[in-house]
Amino acid sequence: MPSVDRAGPPLVGGPEAGGGLPEPARRLPEPPRNRTGAPGLRKEELHGSVSDPVLDTMNFLNEVTHRYPDAVSFAPGRPYDGFFDTEDVFRHLRRYLDHLAAEGAGPEQVRSAIFQYGPTAGQIRELVADSLRKDEGIDVPPASVVVTVGCQEAMFLAVRALISGPDDVLLVSSPCYVGITGAARLLDVEVGAVEEGEKGFDCAALEAAILAERARGRRPRAFYVIPDHSNPSGTSMTLPARQELLDLAERHDILILEDSPYRMVSPGEQLPTLKSLDREHRVVHLGSYSKTLFPGTRVGFVVADQPVVDEAGNTGLLADELARIKSMLTVNTSPVSQAVTAGMLLSVDGRTSELNTRTAAYYGDAMRVTLRELDRRFPEDERGALGIGWNEPAGGFFLAVNVPFRADNAALERSAEEFGVIWTPMSYFYPQGGGESSLRLSVSYLSHEEIVDGVDRLARFVRAQTHRSG
Amino acid sequence: MPSVDRAGPPLVGGPEAGGGLPEPARRLPEPPRNRTGAPGLRKEELHGSVSDPVLDTMNFLNEVTHRYPDAVSFAPGRPYDGFFDTEDVFRHLRRYLDHLAAEGAGPEQVRSAIFQYGPTAGQIRELVADSLRKDEGIDVPPASVVVTVGCQEAMFLAVRALISGPDDVLLVSSPCYVGITGAARLLDVEVGAVEEGEKGFDCAALEAAILAERARGRRPRAFYVIPDHSNPSGTSMTLPARQELLDLAERHDILILEDSPYRMVSPGEQLPTLKSLDREHRVVHLGSYSKTLFPGTRVGFVVADQPVVDEAGNTGLLADELARIKSMLTVNTSPVSQAVTAGMLLSVDGRTSELNTRTAAYYGDAMRVTLRELDRRFPEDERGALGIGWNEPAGGFFLAVNVPFRADNAALERSAEEFGVIWTPMSYFYPQGGGESSLRLSVSYLSHEEIVDGVDRLARFVRAQTHRSG
């Protein structure tokens, strides 16, 4: 999933990086064969997740990007690293080890903390909980936190715990981040798409989906949503919509999986998280440090303070159950990675907002420049006739552009080849179809010059394609 | 899974560690309830993996260990960290970054390599492949390697890829490492146990299992085994047995999942890995650096050089498919962790055997002392009458002791309470029952004094329990 969403490296490439996902299947000169002369494995015999069409679309996007290296790419949701100093990693690590010593750990205990496996639920849960309280007003006990290998593992844990049989359904806001549908795909979990309206989440659509699933004999267990500056559409939920969603979850006895990676890196005041408004333990909060600290630690977390009662009447927390699942998946999150993360949290006394003043301004500027250039290239009085429009997110990495033609792979290829500009077809993000005339632009990693140039190219492409289609 | 297998921390505890797995469910003073007055979630509505009996047994073991902190514990398979210097982490990280620079990466590329997400299949695949060639004679292209979050994720990826439907079966050598059965449990994958004989793997038993599964209409896809110094039994496969297993896999068209974490940390010459003998791409090699480097990076890998042909006739590698699955699970392994691992590999030019001369001698001594003390406490001429016996592994962390009574939780509790010695019931490791009169001793983390004392306690317990049962 990395390339067109959170993880952008294959589209840019590190020093040793050969691309994020493997390249598309290729003809080997002499495929090794077994004694019977038959090839070893047939792809259709492997689990269906490896043939998920989303992966092929990502591959296609990677391939286009590799083929047109000079194109301006609005595809990758890659965080900007210009404010990061490589030496920071050493400093953060040192800070955490010093912190342990200051807290009374002897040299052998410090060594153990970095050398050994750690507790499955994580060894920096107190620091994570402290940061959530200061940054987000999310006040939960450290025992309700599980530290994960990025937010992706958090999603997997939540889906695995909540979906127990073939009648259970996961509902997702659509268009939808591919990470959650990917996790569901690995588990053969059925996903029900709840269409966003023009303004994002629509409570009536969710309620209708819940009732429709129930009518089919299915049990909707949870609803996944990015309330702030969503990936891919850039929409945010209003405060009343947040309240309405919480009430709905309570009324219909479902959980909400809240994913919110873009809040701290967006300019200005943010609305409260669903979790901070949650009085009934309806929200499982999925956390990422990939935008607020840095992606290279692969540290995320999940907050799951829901009480779970077993048959004997004993009560634990959903976090305990998620840790059990994690013990069978990755055992524990790297203590080295956790140490670097912890050192970074300690450097600002848990206030990641302080670390992100500059980055939030940077991304905010990029979004403003993009919107300004779109305005400039498509004057308001022409838009109706052209059939083009876009939303105006106040933050995050993404915006959605509606176009008067099919924004499909063929269009993307033409855009890259003839106009030197790459974007992501929004249809990639619709689990059950949709978004055919829309595309996603990511603004997180381009310079202002690249944005100006890129929107110019995009505008020329859109006009040419409209002309061609019309 | 961490506590009694590879990951021992909950049984010892780091500075911030509150235990590996969560503590058993407890009564909260006032469990939060929703408006209907019903508790939020019922455990039996969650996925069955969280109620896996193996987890409860691990919990029980953790609990006993916490309750009797002064007992000598032969339970955790925790690596010894006495030869590790905390500062090594900084040095390894620096070495890798210097290596990137020496290879031509500019400062911004070095920053990207540590800051950003990395390629899904890993950014240190060349170094891993180089090390496998030098250490193990495993000669595979870097493209067949996927770097994983410990060996546990490697297991999950392999099981997910190979098991595509309800008729597919995973066979495992039994008694069996709980990591592989845990991964299968998460995916509702059926596991068929193939009983070890006294001397370990038995080819006839595997063939019989394959035929029996086929007769039931099932498709055995792969067989999981630890050929060297197995966890939990300590047995190793002979060279003829290895060859026989490879032939059998070819004949019956199954893959072998080879897990081999203890080779480099065992004294003396090792037999060749299955993978190094594999001429027909039958072996998927699951790799761990937790014993040979250190567990705190959580870096493992999988070698999957099997050709996979899609319906269009294009050939890729199984590693490509595993990377696809990883993209939906953890996106990529932490570049920070990979960097530390890479620096450590670079420090010995890929020869992890050189890093492990001292540790292998240390573990070898611990095993010898344990066997010597067992000999001393149970003179040979008494063993038959007592009904006690044990195997004599040439390496690894574990040995199996047969006793003339049920080595169950009640016995364990009595052993801890009255005799101050803790061990792991072997029955925990039998997916389909067995091992009731056997226990596992782990020798990796105890000092010689503790071993002497612990075996003395164990001998007194065994004699008392035998008397009581008899």
Side-chain angles (χ1 to χ4, degrees), chain B residues 18-250:
Chain B
L21 282 171
E23 284 171 33
R26 58 207 174 272
R27 285 197 179 275
L28 294 178
E30 280 183 78
R33 283 157 185 277
N34 64 23
R35 284 178 199 158
T36 62
L41 292 165
R42 284 182 296 123
K43 182 148 178 167
E44 63 268 29
E45 288 182 337
L46 301 179
H47 185 251
S49 56
V50 301
S51 302
D52 195 80
V54 171
L55 291 172
D56 292 329
T57 56
M58 299 294 164
N59 268 342
F60 178 77
L61 191 53
N62 283 344
E63 206 194 313
V64 166
T65 306
H66 283 294
R67 247 184 307 141
Y68 304 102
D70 296 330
V72 176
S73 179
F74 288 100
R78 184 177 164 97
Y80 178 69
D81 52 21
F83 301 128
F84 190 83
D85 179 355
T86 305
E87 294 303 308
D88 287 346
V89 179
F90 295 86
R91 282 192 283 268
H92 299 317
L93 189 54
R94 180 70 66 197
R95 184 178 289 109
Y96 179 64
L97 299 183
D98 289 349
H99 164 79
L100 292 181
E103 299 266 295
E108 291 188 9
Q109 287 173 304
V110 171
R111 179 178 66 191
S112 264
I114 201 90
F115 174 93
Q116 290 287 0
Y117 300 88
T120 300
Q123 58 200 47
I124 63 168
R125 297 200 284 176
E126 288 78 7
L127 293 173
V128 173
D130 176 64
S131 174
L132 281 170
R133 200 163 37 244
K134 289 169 176 166
D135 271 340
E136 295 286 16
I138 294 176
D139 193 0
V140 290
S144 67
V145 173
V146 178
V147 180
T148 55
V149 181
C151 191
Q152 187 63 35
E153 191 192 29
M155 290 180 197
F156 183 93
L157 299 180
V159 174
R160 177 63 305 171
L162 295 172
I163 305 288
S164 64
D167 290 339
D168 290 346
V169 176
L170 173 70
L171 298 173
V172 300
S173 194
S174 175
C176 183
Y177 174 54
V178 292
I180 189 75
T181 43
R185 191 72 195 77
L186 284 186
L187 295 169
D188 296 317
V189 165
E190 198 177 334
V191 164
V194 180
E195 294 276 324
E196 276 188 6
E198 277 294 302
K199 309 229 157 179
F201 170 74
D202 178 349
C203 211
L206 174 57
E207 186 154 33
I210 292 170
L211 296 174
E213 293 293 349
R214 294 233 167 96
R216 292 169 62 214
R218 308 288 175 128
R219 189 169 67 144
R221 292 287 276 160
F223 173 63
Y224 170 88
V225 66
I226 303 179
D228 301 278
H229 322 298
S230 182
N231 178 6
S233 68
T235 56
S236 292
M237 288 172 65
T238 62
L239 187 56
R242 288 168 203 241
Q243 202 56 64
E244 204 180 351
L245 173 57
L246 289 167
D247 291 346
L248 185 74
E250 178 69 9

Side-chain angles (χ1 to χ4, degrees), chain A residues 233-304:
Chain A
S233 68
T235 56
S236 292
M237 288 173 64
T238 62
L239 187 57
R242 287 167 205 241
Q243 203 56 65
E244 204 181 352
L245 174 56
L246 289 166
D247 292 345
L248 185 75
E250 178 68 12
R251 203 160 65 245
H252 286 290
D253 192 21
I254 64 166
L255 292 180
I256 301 162
L257 307 184
E258 175 183 44
D259 186 10
S260 234
Y262 307 107
R263 293 169 54 81
M264 290 291 133
V265 292
S266 294
E269 280 288 301
Q270 303 298 308
L271 290 171
T273 59
L274 292 168
K275 187 65 198 165
S276 68
L277 299 170
D278 179 27
R279 299 286 163 264
E280 311 284 348
H281 299 88
R282 284 289 158 197
V283 180
V284 174
H285 185 82
L286 307 165
S288 171
Y289 287 126
S290 290
K291 312 296 175 295
T292 53
L293 304 184
F294 69 108
T297 60
R298 298 301 298 125
V299 172
F301 58 90
V302 52
V303 176

Side-chain angles (χ1 to χ4, degrees), chain A residues 284-430:
Chain A
V284 174
H285 185 82
L286 307 165
S288 171
Y289 287 126
S290 290
K291 312 296 175 295
T292 53
L293 304 184
F294 69 108
T297 60
R298 298 301 298 125
V299 172
F301 58 90
V302 52
V303 176
D305 60 350
Q306 286 68 26
V308 175
V309 183
D310 70 15
E311 284 177 325
N314 298 307
T315 301
L317 294 176
L318 181 58
D320 301 335
E321 311 303 331
L322 300 183
R324 278 179 228 276
I325 293 171
K326 183 174 169 69
S327 75
M328 304 181 235
L329 194 65
T330 60
V331 180
N332 64 307
T333 303
S334 163
V336 172
S337 284
Q338 288 188 71
V340 173
T341 304
M344 208 156 175
L345 290 174
L346 287 165
S347 75
V348 286
D349 192 28
R351 291 179 175 81
T352 67
S353 52
E354 284 182 19
L355 282 172
N356 285 289
T357 319
R358 277 199 299 176
T359 39
Y362 177 88
Y363 296 130
D365 284 346
M367 183 65 80
R368 266 190 297 278
V369 171
T370 307
L371 293 171
R372 182 194 73 202
E373 291 301 306
L374 283 168
D375 264 342
R376 204 154 72 89
R377 301 291 172 187
F378 297 106
E380 198 161 359
D381 53 5
E382 286 184 27
R383 283 177 216 164
L386 269 170
I388 190 166
W390 54 87
N391 59 0
E392 301 189 353
F397 288 9
F398 308 106
L399 73 159
V401 180
N402 293 322
V403 291
F405 52 83
R406 288 182 71 85
D408 56 10
N409 283 351
L412 171 59
E413 181 141 20
R414 188 171 178 231
S415 177
E417 183 177 351
E418 295 179 28
F419 298 88
V421 61
I422 293 172
W423 35 267
T424 310
M426 193 65 89
S427 58
Y428 288 9
F429 303 103
Y430 280 80

Side-chain angles (χ1 to χ4, degrees), chain A residues 16 26 123 152 315 328, chain B residues 16 26 123 152 296 315 328:
Chain A
E16 289 202 325
R26 56 205 174 273
Q123 57 199 47
Q152 186 62 36
T315 301
M328 304 181 235
Chain B
E16 289 202 324
R26 58 207 174 272
Q123 58 200 47
Q152 187 63 35
T315 301
M328 303 179 236

Side-chain angles (χ1 to χ4, degrees), chain A residues 214-234:
Chain A
R214 292 234 169 95
R216 292 169 61 214
R218 307 288 176 130
R219 189 169 68 143
R221 292 286 277 159
F223 173 63
Y224 170 88
V225 66
I226 302 178
D228 302 278
H229 321 298
S230 182
N231 178 6
S233 68

